[in-house]
Amino acid sequence: MNPFSSGTRLRDMIRAIRSCKTAAEERAVVRKECAAIRAAISENDQDYRHRNLAKLMFIHMLGYPTHFGQMECLKLIASSGFPEKRIGYLGLMLLLDERQEVLMLVTNSLKQDLNHSNQYIIGLALCALGNICSAEMARDLAPEVERLLQFRDPNIRKKAALCSIRIIKKVPDLAENFINPAASLLREKHHGVLITGVQLCTDLCKVSSEALEYFREKCTEGLVKTLKDMANSPYAPEYDIAGITDPFLHIRLLKLLRILGQGDADASDCMNDILAQVATKIESNKNAGNAILYECVGTIMSIEDNGGLRVLAINILGRFLSNRDNNIRYVALNMLMKAITVDAQAVQRHRATILECVKDSDASIRKKALDLVYLLVNESNVKPLTKELIESLEASDQEFKGVLTAKICSLVEKFSPEKIWYIDQMLKVLSEAGNFVKDEVWHALIVVISNASDLHGYSVRALYRAFQTSTEQETLVRVAVWCIGEYGDMLVNNVGMLDIEEPITVTESDAVDALEVSIKRLNSDLTTKAMALIALLKLSSRFPSCSERIKDIILQNKRSFVLELQQRSIEFNCILQKHQNIRSALVERMPVLDEATFSGRRAGSLPTSVSTSTGTARNLPNGIAKPAAAPVADLLDLSSDDAPAPNSSGGNFLQDLLGVDLSPASAPPGTSQPPKAGTDVLLDLLSIGTSPPAQSSSSASNILSSIQDDKTSLVNLNGLASLTSLSPNATSASPAPMMDLLDGFGPSPQKKEENGPAYPSLVAYESSTLRMTFNISKQPGNPQTTLIQAIFTNLSPNVYNDFLFQAAVPKFLQLHLDPASSNTLPASGNGSIIQSMKVTNSQHGKKSLVMRIRIAYKINSKDVLEEGQVSNFPRDL
Amino acid sequence: MIHFVLLISRQGKVRLTKWYSAYSQKERTKVIRELSGLILTRGPKLCNFVEWRGLRVVYKRYASLYFCMCIDEDDNELEILEIIHHYVEVLDRYFGSVCELDLIYNFHKAYFILDELLIAGELQEPSKRTVARLVAAQDSLVETAKEQTSSITNIIAQAANTASL
């Protein structure tokens, strides 16, 4: 006999393992045992096979690998004795799962055992089949199980019924074979058979509509009667739990009735009385009774409408909700969630109690209650409910704050009745749990603030106040910093004071203090610090008195270890020191971050440019056109973070600029043959507007870093670069000021004008009021690049002010616009505006140039917009 | 439907696992680890339900053991508590005031009893007496078989002894 396997009994092994003091010791014992078991397996030891398997199961529970014992299970199952089979089946269910191939090998043994003369062996086989059979096994053995549903012993019938459930779940096609035998189980008196029979019918209804129809027609009345008998039955000690006869059967009957009654008025009608009886008669002082009531409420809510019953059910839930037992409150919340689709009004009545549950000490209940409140909110109650939720935010623990914050933000965004309320609520959330607020949420807040022009002052003051009290919330700091940067002047001068506001005195240096604090805060992260630097730059022009101090703060970051901060610090310092003349333009307030309001805003901001614009063509290379300001500031701001919200609106705004409307009506009369392909290409171009704008922002920051980078990024970014050049006014101005920033090294594109036209000039666009002529030339040695000088002539008797030319090209082209010579076009052709541009054709020789243009100007401060397409370029450009 | 049954001691040791839905060995270990972290840390007065991966785990503590059952969202949690109690009562009746040690040394018995109570994740028998009777009947089958084997081995041993003499 094997010296190893005979060694220890199961009990001894367990004792040895339990007496181990360390995990290493335990591993050693297990290793020794496993070695012994392996040796026994390889010797095909028969006497101790079941003991070894029992040991293996214990080892398995401890979490050690035991796959080498799988075949032993099969051998034990195949042996003839009951003890071997019993342990073999147990091992099979524990060590294997339905996805293992080995399992197929047991099919034959199972089949034999299902036909065994010993009913306990049949029972073992049914149990194993019911617990782990795969679809293939289910198909193979279904006939045996079906036959066993009529076995003489009820204990086999009930096992066969549950086994059938597994089979029909694995292979729904087999369901119809089980409908009739299942229906006959419903007439049984044995509770075990009845309970499993009802369960089988329930699952049949779920997989087969045929079964559902059959049971609904043939069995509803019988089931109602069974339930009635059950409810009225005298004390039955064998099945009694807390004074109720067989609550398990009650619950299963109610569950099946629910499925039968759902969507069928007749069946629902048939069960009304008994449901009312169960709902009123069952005692609710014990868990068993509550379990039945809970199920009964679920059934009442699901079956066809009966007003009286619903009231009864909602009342039961109300009672549950005020129960002291947490379990009962939990299931009440759970059921109310389902009830809300049936009768929202009734659920609203319990709002106060549900809100209490959001503050419960039990995490499960809190979460359930919050889910429910979320469903309860609508336009009419959003204000009080949000108030309550924000209050509970203060009391909740860290873990729950995240969930709660997300829900509040989503509610506020969804139902917000007015902007000021939205801003107020978001501010409260930010001050309370700003660290849990997701990026999209505070980005969206910035967009809203930026759009609410009448609330700018209010927002910045409220944020300033909140910032003073809670500097711990990162996102609050960011939003505050952004607003102070943008609307710092409103903070100091109390612009746009609302009646509800308390007056606040903030000096310019207070505002700078706030920004300094946020840069120096230990826990500020890179984004916040970078945003604060930009805000400082912006304030430097708004608060001239503080500009020295601002410069100092910015300079302090020059030695920052973080490259981004260091770089910004140096760049900004350069702007402050060497470029006073452009600074105020550069840091102008950001345009509104939303497509809808953008156009109006732009029109409003343009007139200010007249005063600073230099006017003559000669001054061009160094003359900084005012229009550059807003977009450059825009780019700077975008580069401060990867804000998707502002970015996407930036995309929109570019789209807006390009004119998404490509309908023929908008095609200008001048274009003789608007090529279809061209339109497609332009459409294609428009789609770039939605491509990752983050990239464009990074390219924008690169622009600042070096002119080389500027050029490569423009070239590399292909489509995006053309977008950059398209962005409103940046178009014309961005390259020049950028070069200027870097002390103007690198050749000025303006010089290339000297190359003179090598092609005849063409009239690219002409309307009754305006003519645009293109002088085209090529750079020697660079056939891909075309230099175009656009000359605009006014054909009307009116002077055009705020003249702005914009152009868009398809992806294969890159467009580089230089600043225009002027933005005022004298009347009746008494002068012209000249603007140069450079187009690089990446498909040179294959595709010819095409361009979409847009010209905006003002006649007596009335906006005029002309659009068109230029497709009459010479072919070989 | 019950997806699995777990018995976990307060120290986090697994005392019984029964899987009615397909979980690979790896997943099983992960599930046990996750759930013991989730359940063992909960305070005594809290409700007996935790939400987990879109399912719901109903647990109840008896002395040092947590009985956990994982069910679908729309199952009746309160009923599962009754089923757990039902199982505990059967165990109690079988072992005579059951304790954790009984379940450690006779873990296979705990499995046999569970197999008479649940199949395919559904309740099979509401009567504790019937369950007890069925388990006892099978135990006695095993006993008889053992006696037979030992008497046969005795005969063989005696025969061997006589032969050697």
Side-chain angles (χ1 to χ4, degrees):
Chain A
M1 186 163 287
N2 187 314
F4 295 105
S5 61
S6 60
T8 47
R9 295 183 301 156
L10 174 62
R11 180 165 280 270
D12 295 331
M13 184 197 78
I14 296 174
R15 195 168 289 137
I17 290 175
R18 281 177 52 78
S19 65
C20 292
K21 298 247 171 359
T22 63
E25 243 178 276
E26 184 187 289
R27 277 199 296 275
V29 174
V30 169
R31 204 159 43 227
K32 208 173 122 219
E33 285 292 343
C34 284
I37 295 167
R38 273 211 181 86
I41 291 172
S42 60
E43 285 186 17
N44 209 8
D45 174 35
Q46 307 238 336
D47 301 336
Y48 292 99
R49 187 171 274 151
H50 65 289
R51 183 206 273 178
N52 285 339
L53 187 58
K55 283 182 182 174
L56 265 186
M57 281 190 262
F58 190 84
I59 291 169
H60 175 85
M61 275 203 293
L62 294 176
Y64 295 94
T66 49
H67 48 273
F68 55 88
Q70 288 175 350
M71 286 309 288
E72 293 298 283
C73 299
L74 304 193
K75 284 181 196 158
L76 280 170
I77 291 169
S79 62
S80 61
F82 178 78
E84 287 83 9
K85 278 187 190 292
R86 197 187 193 192
I87 219 72
Y89 277 120
L90 183 57
L92 185 80
M93 290 186 278
L94 194 59
L95 304 184
L96 278 83
D97 68 76
E98 61 176 283
R99 284 178 292 205
Q100 270 151 324
E101 295 283 317
V102 190
L103 199 58
M104 280 309 289
L105 299 175
V106 89
T107 314
N108 207 32
S109 302
L110 273 171
K111 190 165 191 158
Q112 280 174 2
D113 286 348
L114 288 174
N115 292 307
H116 207 279
S117 57
N118 183 337
Q119 60 151 318
Y120 292 107
I121 290 181
I122 302 177
L124 288 178
L126 280 174
C127 180
L129 192 63
N131 285 347
I132 62 163
C133 82
S134 61
E136 283 165 89
M137 289 165 79
R139 230 179 260 283
D140 288 347
L141 298 172
E144 262 72 25
V145 177
E146 207 184 308
R147 184 175 50 77
L148 289 171
L149 284 173
Q150 273 121 37
F151 197 79
R152 63 190 144 72
D153 189 287
N155 292 312
I156 296 303
R157 291 205 294 276
K158 71 185 187 195
K159 284 189 162 72
L162 292 184
C163 204
S164 313
I165 294 180
R166 172 110 186 173
I167 290 173
I168 56 157
K169 277 186 185 167
K170 290 285 158 201
V171 193
D173 317 347
L174 291 172
E176 58 180 305
N177 301 348
F178 287 93
I179 296 175
N180 278 317
S184 62
L185 291 179
L186 297 179
R187 291 188 287 274
E188 295 263 359
K189 288 279 168 275
H190 185 281
H191 278 224
V193 182
L194 194 48
I195 218 170
T196 52
V198 172
Q199 188 64 50
L200 174 57
C201 293
T202 311
D203 282 302
L204 278 168
C205 291
K206 284 183 194 160
V207 296
S208 144
S209 54
E210 189 190 340
L212 176 61
E213 281 308 313
Y214 181 88
F215 293 129
R216 188 178 274 161
E217 198 168 311
K218 303 262 160 111
C219 306
T220 310
E221 276 175 46
L223 287 165
V224 169
K225 187 173 175 304
T226 315
L227 184 57
K228 206 168 269 169
D229 292 347
M230 192 68 52
N232 298 327
S233 79
Y235 177 65
E238 189 161 2
Y239 301 107
D240 187 83
I241 295 176
I244 300 165
T245 304
D246 205 344
F248 301 116
L249 185 52
H250 267 100
I251 288 170
R252 274 167 188 68
L253 285 167
L254 286 167
K255 210 172 255 175
L256 181 52
L257 287 179
R258 174 190 314 174
I259 293 180
L260 298 181
Q262 216 159 14
D264 188 292
D266 290 342
S268 301
D269 217 38
C270 174
M271 58 188 77
N272 274 338
D273 288 349
I274 184 62
L275 291 178
Q277 190 193 333
V278 172
T280 45
K281 284 240 176 106
I282 294 285
E283 292 281 339
S284 64
N285 49 3
K286 288 276 170 51
N287 182 55
N290 284 328
I292 298 178
L293 284 177
Y294 176 48
E295 198 66 50
C296 188
V297 169
T299 304
I300 292 173
M301 288 296 177
S302 301
I303 64 168
E304 289 315 294
D305 192 29
N306 177 316
L309 273 183
R310 293 249 160 103
V311 173
L312 196 58
I314 295 278
N315 285 344
I316 292 176
L317 289 180
R319 238 166 45 221
F320 274 15
L321 210 52
S322 50
N323 199 304
R324 283 225 307 275
D325 185 342
N326 281 335
N327 289 342
I328 306 297
R329 281 197 293 153
Y330 180 90
V331 296
L333 290 169
N334 196 32
M335 191 53 79
L336 283 171
M337 251 163 97
K338 291 173 192 157
I340 204 164
T341 52
V342 179
D343 189 352
Q345 220 43 48
V347 183
Q348 292 280 7
R349 277 205 297 279
H350 297 288
R351 214 164 60 200
T353 331
I354 297 166
L355 272 167
E356 275 308 301
C357 293
V358 177
K359 298 173 193 160
D360 201 274
S361 59
D362 187 330
S364 293
I365 291 186
R366 276 201 307 260
K367 191 168 171 300
K368 247 296 77 101
L370 181 60
D371 289 345
L372 185 53
V373 171
Y374 189 71
L375 295 178
L376 280 177
V377 173
N378 54 34
E379 279 84 1
S380 60
N381 60 18
V382 62
K383 283 190 173 179
L385 280 178
T386 309
K387 186 164 171 282
E388 290 280 345
L389 288 179
I390 290 178
E391 272 169 27
S392 53
L393 188 60
E394 290 157 20
S396 65
D397 57 30
Q398 294 297 312
E399 200 182 332
F400 191 55
K401 262 188 183 151
V403 190
L404 190 51
T405 309
K407 283 268 196 294
I408 297 176
C409 293
S410 145
L411 284 179
V412 171
E413 271 176 57
K414 204 156 119 201
F415 293 109
S416 148
E418 62 229 346
K419 278 181 176 164
I420 184 163
W421 183 83
Y422 171 86
I423 294 171
D424 280 344
Q425 305 310 312
M426 288 308 298
L427 223 91
K428 284 186 201 159
V429 174
L430 287 180
S431 342
E432 195 53 53
N435 291 336
F436 298 95
V437 170
K438 295 211 167 59
D439 282 356
E440 305 89 85
V441 174
W442 66 267
H443 293 163
L445 174 61
I446 287 185
V447 172
V448 169
I449 293 180
S450 139
N451 275 305
S453 50
D454 48 333
L455 294 175
H456 285 166
Y458 171 77
S459 308
V460 66
R461 284 187 292 277
L463 278 161
Y464 180 79
R465 269 195 213 103
F467 178 76
Q468 297 300 321
T469 50
S470 52
T471 46
E472 292 313 301
Q473 308 295 343
E474 195 77 39
T475 50
L476 174 75
V477 175
R478 287 186 195 164
V479 180
V481 158
W482 188 89
C483 284
I484 292 174
E486 291 297 320
Y487 314 119
D489 43 339
M490 297 180 154
L491 172 65
V492 175
N493 303 330
N494 278 333
V495 175
M497 199 72 174
L498 301 186
D499 298 339
I500 48 165
E501 267 185 275
E502 277 179 38
I504 176 174
T505 326
V506 186
T507 64
E508 298 188 344
S509 91
D510 286 343
V512 177
D513 279 345
L515 294 178
E516 190 176 7
V517 166
S518 52
I519 288 189
K520 294 193 171 156
R521 262 172 87 225
L522 280 178
N523 44 356
S524 280
D525 68 1
L526 172 63
T527 310
T528 314
K529 288 185 177 172
M531 286 177 78
L533 274 181
I534 289 181
L536 278 171
L537 178 68
K538 293 203 161 192
L539 287 190
S540 71
S541 80
R542 270 156 234 184
F543 302 161
S545 65
C546 292
S547 63
E548 272 310 304
R549 202 176 140 213
I550 289 173
K551 203 156 83 185
D552 287 344
I553 303 174
I554 288 179
L555 266 180
Q556 282 162 15
N557 281 286
K558 215 166 136 181
R559 285 183 299 277
S560 170
F561 290 124
V562 185
L563 182 65
E564 177 70 28
L565 294 181
Q566 193 188 53
Q567 183 179 335
R568 277 179 199 232
S569 161
I570 291 170
E571 286 163 3
F572 293 172
N573 186 44
C574 188
I575 294 173
L576 291 177
Q577 279 187 327
K578 300 184 188 165
H579 300 282
Q580 289 295 340
N581 55 337
I582 62 157
R583 190 185 64 194
S584 60
L586 199 59
V587 299
E588 258 225 340
R589 190 167 295 161
M590 249 173 110
V592 169
L593 296 163
D594 187 46
E595 186 223 349
T597 39
F598 168 71
S599 44
R601 194 96 228 277
R602 188 185 49 148
S605 73
L606 277 178
T608 54
S609 66
V610 183
S611 53
T612 46
S613 132
T614 40
T616 62
R618 289 303 102 209
N619 283 342
L620 241 174
N622 292 321
I624 304 312
K626 174 75 177 183
V632 171
D634 184 20
L635 291 175
L636 285 174
D637 264 276
L638 280 175
S639 68
S640 69
D641 62 86
D642 47 356
N647 277 351
S648 63
S649 65
N652 288 341
F653 122 145
L654 287 171
Q655 264 176 322
D656 171 48
L657 188 78
L658 291 169
V660 192
D661 181 18
L662 283 173
S663 62
S666 76
T671 44
S672 50
Q673 39 178 28
K676 205 155 170 57
T679 315
D680 288 344
V681 170
L682 287 168
L683 256 180
D684 191 13
L685 181 78
L686 289 175
S687 69
I688 313 169
T690 51
S691 74
Q695 237 179 315
S696 83
S697 64
S698 70
S699 82
S701 66
N702 284 345
I703 289 173
L704 278 171
S705 61
S706 86
I707 188 67
Q708 255 72 26
D709 273 9
D710 174 24
K711 286 213 168 132
T712 47
S713 76
L714 279 174
V715 175
N716 290 345
L717 285 172
N718 196 351
L720 279 172
S722 65
L723 259 191
T724 318
S725 62
L726 281 170
S727 59
N729 333 337
T731 342
S732 45
S734 67
M738 289 315 160
M739 271 182 259
D740 190 39
L741 284 183
L742 292 145
D743 303 326
F745 66 85
S748 160
Q750 293 300 319
K751 287 177 189 153
K752 287 159 202 158
E753 286 171 32
E754 291 154 19
N755 285 330
Y759 295 85
S761 63
L762 60 98
V763 176
Y765 174 82
E766 186 164 10
S767 67
S768 56
T769 49
L770 183 76
R771 184 194 297 135
M772 175 172 78
T773 322
F774 279 1
N775 290 329
I776 297 168
S777 60
K778 280 276 181 193
Q779 242 173 340
N782 194 352
Q784 293 196 341
T785 306
T786 310
L787 301 172
I788 300 169
Q789 192 180 42
I791 301 164
F792 303 93
T793 318
N794 189 343
L795 305 179
S796 77
N798 305 311
V799 179
Y800 295 168
N801 287 317
D802 300 338
F803 187 89
L804 179 67
F805 167 72
Q806 293 163 313
V809 290
K811 267 183 185 168
F812 66 90
L813 297 176
Q814 282 174 34
L815 178 70
H816 188 99
L817 271 170
D818 290 335
S821 59
S822 162
N823 62 0
T824 311
L825 191 56
S828 318
N830 288 331
S832 56
I833 292 179
I834 300 172
Q835 187 160 18
S836 299
M837 57 190 133
K838 187 167 72 178
V839 181
T840 308
N841 185 352
S842 62
Q843 306 258 20
H844 178 71
K846 289 181 210 145
K847 293 190 183 172
S848 49
L849 299 189
V850 61
M851 185 181 284
R852 193 170 166 81
I853 57 155
R854 186 165 174 174
I855 299 162
Y857 51 89
K858 285 190 175 186
I859 306 173
N860 302 327
S861 18
K862 219 179 111 211
D863 284 317
V864 180
L865 189 67
E866 297 194 34
E867 288 179 310
Q869 186 160 322
V870 185
S871 40
N872 55 345
F873 285 103
R875 288 212 67 100
D876 51 344
L877 287 180
Chain B
M1 171 197 179
I2 299 169
H3 294 281
F4 54 81
V5 179
L6 297 179
L7 261 67
I8 307 174
S9 78
R10 212 163 42 135
Q11 285 80 29
K13 295 251 186 224
V14 181
R15 297 301 178 209
L16 180 144
T17 60
K18 189 87 188 172
W19 308 87
Y20 297 105
S21 293
Y23 288 86
S24 71
Q25 299 298 338
K26 223 181 190 167
E27 288 167 328
R28 291 180 187 185
T29 335
K30 200 161 163 254
V31 167
I32 292 169
R33 201 173 338 112
E34 261 177 49
L35 281 181
S36 20
L38 207 61
I39 289 169
L40 301 183
T41 50
R42 278 174 68 85
K45 288 272 170 61
L46 306 181
C47 72
N48 295 82
F49 319 124
V50 283
E51 270 162 49
W52 172 79
R53 294 197 199 168
L55 299 172
R56 206 160 286 163
V57 179
V58 179
Y59 71 93
K60 190 153 172 140
R61 185 178 162 179
Y62 288 89
S64 58
L65 271 185
Y66 285 86
F67 287 70
C68 317
M69 292 188 181
C70 176
I71 52 169
D72 287 319
E73 282 264 279
D74 53 352
D75 280 330
N76 187 329
E77 299 89 347
L78 298 178
E79 190 209 4
I80 300 296
L81 282 177
E82 279 310 314
I83 292 182
I84 291 177
H85 191 68
H86 190 52
Y87 180 42
V88 173
E89 283 194 322
V90 178
L91 287 174
D92 207 50
R93 202 175 281 200
Y94 182 84
F95 288 104
S97 120
V98 65
C99 69
E100 194 182 338
L101 278 183
D102 290 325
L103 299 186
I104 295 172
Y105 285 103
N106 294 296
F107 69 91
H108 48 299
K109 299 280 173 60
Y111 277 103
F112 293 143
I113 293 170
L114 188 61
D115 282 342
E116 287 299 330
L117 216 61
L118 300 175
I119 288 181
E122 300 291 352
L123 184 72
Q124 108 175 254
E125 181 56 65
S127 154
K128 296 183 264 291
R129 210 177 62 190
T130 311
V131 175
R133 191 167 52 79
L134 289 171
V135 176
Q138 295 178 65
D139 282 352
S140 69
L141 264 185
V142 174
E143 285 308 313
T144 352
K146 250 189 205 163
E147 273 163 32
Q148 271 176 3
T149 349
S150 60
S151 62
I152 290 169
T153 16
N154 281 343
I155 294 164
I156 295 171
Q158 277 168 8
N161 281 339
T162 23
S164 69
L165 283 171

